[in-house]
Amino acid sequence: MSLQSREEIRQAVSEAVQNQPITDVHTHLYSANFGDLLLWDIDELLTYHYLVAEVMRWSDIAPEDFWKLTKQEQAEHIWQHLFLDRTPVSEAGRGVLNALKELGFDPGTKDLKSYREELAKRSTSEQIKDVLERANISNVVMTNDPFDEKERAVWESGKKAEAPFHAVLRLDPLLNDYGNTKLKLREWGYDLSDEWNDQSIKETQRFLEDWIGKMNPLYMAVSLPPTFAFPEDSDRGRIIRDCILPLGRKHNIAFAMMIGVKKQVNPALGDAGDFVGKADISAVQNLLSEFPQNKFLVTMLSRENQHELAVLARKFRNLMVFGCWWFMNNPVITNEITRMRMEMLNTSFIPQHSDARVLEQVIYKWKHTRLMLTDVLTDKYADIAETGWKIEKEAIEKDVKDLLHQNFWRFIEKDFTKL
Ligand code: FIX
Ligand code: ZN
């Protein structure tokens, strides 16, 4: 059935976007068997580090005193300053209200106590099932850190990611702090030399393959500072070249680089203390060019890097651009970035990931993304219809499935060593 009016197109786009189950390609969520590593409920929603940063701009509380409060007291402090004393117009504030609304609560009552009491009646598994159904999410990709003692213990006990959750091998301590991490790896039985030599390469690869075996990760990942460079005569440069990329080719595992975070510029704020910087994208260009048989998922944190990242993806098919990461995940920017990517890459990119740290965040992060994507796609299809090209409902559904699901899985499965 071909659609020609803008209203018909918008209706078909809205339905396709709403009905398409999503693969959320980067989150900090965990399947229920990982226990309290998974954060959920209203107090976790309210104490999200985005809101901690925002409350510190209004409240006079000293950060160290804030952290001494109980989780419930922290939530109430944020609720008072950001929701009761003023309107929660920020993206994170709007998000809490949309999560409550989509969960069947009435944010208009502003009755935090009632939300808390109702959610306390639910089990973790029930909440996971309910939240993923409401958000229409079919797959959740985790962030799994073998250097986090609590999480390491879960994996060492033999537990695995439970469907529809999937593991990712996150490697920040190995790549960004090898000097200290080397000592820990030696404690774990990996016989690393003082200097970087064949023994170090072998043992670092053994560590990685041990965890690839434990986790069966969809990709290996790292967050990187704006100063990230490649090639670079550094521990990070050597480990990427000698370990990450050879194993990526051997096991057909993508390498995800999340570039542009300035860690802990204000340590007093905890996770809210990270900042952003424009990166030199030539590091990515050099990796793509030198390693055509590896595949790279890349997202960047600075708005100023977004255009060149999209242009770079036009040059290298082994680059999959994903998400509007962190400080990019605001409607004014996601709208701009998604239009720019579509105008340069057609639909060959992954428009969003939730980065959810709290289960219920996927409800609002994907509601907001679906609204944005509906606006962008309606405009793009209307532009095409205006040329006389017939826009078919089935074609819209296929494009939307690519954007929200298939592009990721096709890239994960594609083996660039065999192209
Ligand atoms: O490195 C990352 O995975 C970042 O997404 C997080 O560290 C960050 O705190 C976050 O959750 C941003 O949304
Ligand atoms: Zn993240």
Side-chain angles (χ1 to χ4, degrees):
M1 174 187 80
S2 72
L3 312 155
Q4 293 320 306
S5 79
R6 187 185 177 77
E7 293 64 42
E8 285 175 327
I9 290 173
R10 183 174 185 85
Q11 183 56 35
V13 169
S14 179
E15 283 170 12
V17 168
Q18 197 53 44
N19 295 339
Q20 175 56 48
I22 285 169
T23 289
D24 194 342
V25 306
H26 171 63
T27 77
H28 299 268
L29 303 179
Y30 298 87
S31 45
N33 60 329
F34 280 69
D36 58 10
L37 279 170
L38 172 68
L39 305 180
W40 67 277
D41 86 14
I42 187 64
D43 292 318
E44 292 295 352
L45 273 177
L46 284 169
T47 54
Y48 184 35
H49 68 74
Y50 291 29
L51 291 168
V52 171
E54 291 171 36
V55 79
M56 291 301 169
R57 295 186 52 71
W58 288 106
S59 163
D60 294 332
I61 192 169
E64 55 271 24
D65 293 337
F66 177 82
W67 297 119
K68 287 177 190 153
L69 300 174
T70 65
K71 177 69 77 176
Q72 194 167 309
E73 288 167 339
Q74 291 173 16
E76 283 159 3
H77 188 83
I78 288 170
W79 183 251
Q80 185 63 47
H81 284 277
L82 297 184
F83 290 79
L84 301 183
D85 292 354
R86 48 194 53 83
T87 311
V89 291
S90 75
E91 182 62 2
R94 168 192 176 216
V96 172
L97 302 186
N98 264 326
L100 286 169
K101 177 186 172 194
E102 297 299 324
L103 280 165
F105 295 102
D106 176 1
T109 66
K110 303 186 183 179
D111 185 353
L112 175 56
K113 189 167 171 290
S114 71
Y115 310 148
R116 186 181 285 140
E117 284 167 359
E118 176 52 37
L119 287 169
K121 297 174 189 168
R122 303 183 182 192
S123 73
T124 299
S125 298
E126 285 166 346
Q127 190 69 343
I128 289 174
K129 185 173 182 303
D130 185 39
V131 167
L132 296 188
E133 272 172 13
R134 289 175 190 267
N136 195 9
I137 294 173
S138 55
N139 291 278
V140 180
V141 183
M142 304 194 285
T143 296
N144 303 106
D145 180 354
F147 299 97
D148 174 283
E149 283 312 308
K150 199 168 174 185
E151 178 168 2
R152 180 184 162 76
V154 177
W155 289 104
E156 296 286 15
S157 73
K159 286 184 179 162
K160 302 290 181 191
E162 282 176 344
F165 291 78
H166 307 268
V168 156
L169 177 52
R170 183 66 180 258
L171 296 167
D172 290 38
L174 178 70
L175 290 173
N176 297 334
D177 186 17
Y178 181 66
N180 290 316
T181 304
K182 177 163 62 174
L183 307 178
K184 187 171 283 191
L185 290 172
R186 282 179 177 150
E187 281 171 28
W188 295 344
Y190 298 97
D191 184 17
L192 299 167
S193 305
D194 285 340
E195 66 284 349
W196 188 254
N197 58 24
D198 287 349
Q199 173 72 4
S200 301
I201 292 171
K202 185 169 73 66
E203 287 297 88
T204 303
Q205 288 198 3
R206 186 167 69 88
F207 163 76
L208 290 168
E209 289 195 298
D210 284 351
W211 282 93
I212 288 169
K214 276 189 180 61
M215 291 183 176
N216 186 28
L218 293 181
Y219 55 83
M220 292 183 275
V222 66
S223 73
L224 295 162
T227 53
F228 172 57
F230 190 93
E232 184 182 58
D233 182 18
S234 66
D235 290 330
R236 179 166 57 213
R238 288 185 284 271
I239 297 169
I240 288 173
R241 178 183 297 280
D242 297 336
C243 302
I244 302 291
L245 296 182
L247 294 182
R249 294 191 295 273
K250 177 179 174 184
H251 296 281
N252 188 27
I253 297 179
F255 183 35
M257 298 185 289
M258 304 170 70
I259 307 170
V261 54
K262 281 187 174 177
K263 296 297 283 183
Q264 297 298 287
V265 296
N266 185 352
L269 299 187
D271 283 339
D274 296 335
F275 184 44
V276 55
K278 184 178 184 309
D280 177 354
I281 200 167
S282 63
V284 183
Q285 177 198 330
N286 296 336
L287 282 162
L288 292 163
S289 176
E290 186 177 347
F291 300 99
Q293 294 193 326
N294 281 91
K295 51 190 178 182
F296 300 85
L297 287 155
V298 176
T299 196
M300 298 184 85
L301 193 50
S302 166
R303 184 180 191 178
E304 290 70 24
N305 281 127
Q306 301 306 324
H307 180 261
E308 53 193 358
L309 177 61
V311 174
L312 191 59
R314 290 170 59 88
K315 310 305 159 195
F316 294 98
R317 61 163 53 143
N318 57 330
L319 165 59
M320 178 61 76
V321 175
F322 78 95
C324 300
W325 183 26
W326 203 341
F327 308 117
M328 294 292 97
N329 192 6
N330 300 314
V332 68
I333 296 180
T334 59
N335 206 302
E336 171 192 275
I337 293 179
T338 305
R339 286 175 191 273
M340 177 171 62
R341 287 170 176 173
M342 207 165 282
E343 288 160 11
M344 283 200 271
L345 303 175
N346 199 307
T347 51
S348 66
F349 64 98
I350 298 168
Q352 191 56 291
H353 64 276
S354 71
D355 228 321
R357 282 178 171 270
V358 181
L359 177 64
E360 295 85 352
Q361 289 174 339
V362 295
I363 290 177
Y364 80 78
K365 287 179 184 250
W366 285 110
K367 177 183 173 119
H368 299 177
T369 297
R370 283 186 163 109
L371 289 169
M372 175 277 292
L373 196 56
T374 298
D375 289 344
V376 173
L377 282 172
T378 298
D379 285 350
K380 293 305 170 192
Y381 287 127
D383 289 347
I384 300 303
E386 198 273 329
T387 70
W389 183 271
K390 298 289 179 242
I391 299 295
E392 308 288 349
K393 192 167 179 294
E394 295 69 28
I396 293 175
E397 289 166 351
K398 184 184 175 308
D399 293 338
V400 166
K401 182 173 182 180
D402 277 346
L403 286 164
L404 295 178
H405 176 77
Q406 204 58 32
N407 284 353
F408 175 70
W409 291 106
R410 204 181 286 124
F411 193 71
I412 291 299
E413 283 144 22
K414 185 177 278 190
D415 185 342
F416 283 81
T417 65
K418 294 184 168 56
L419 290 191

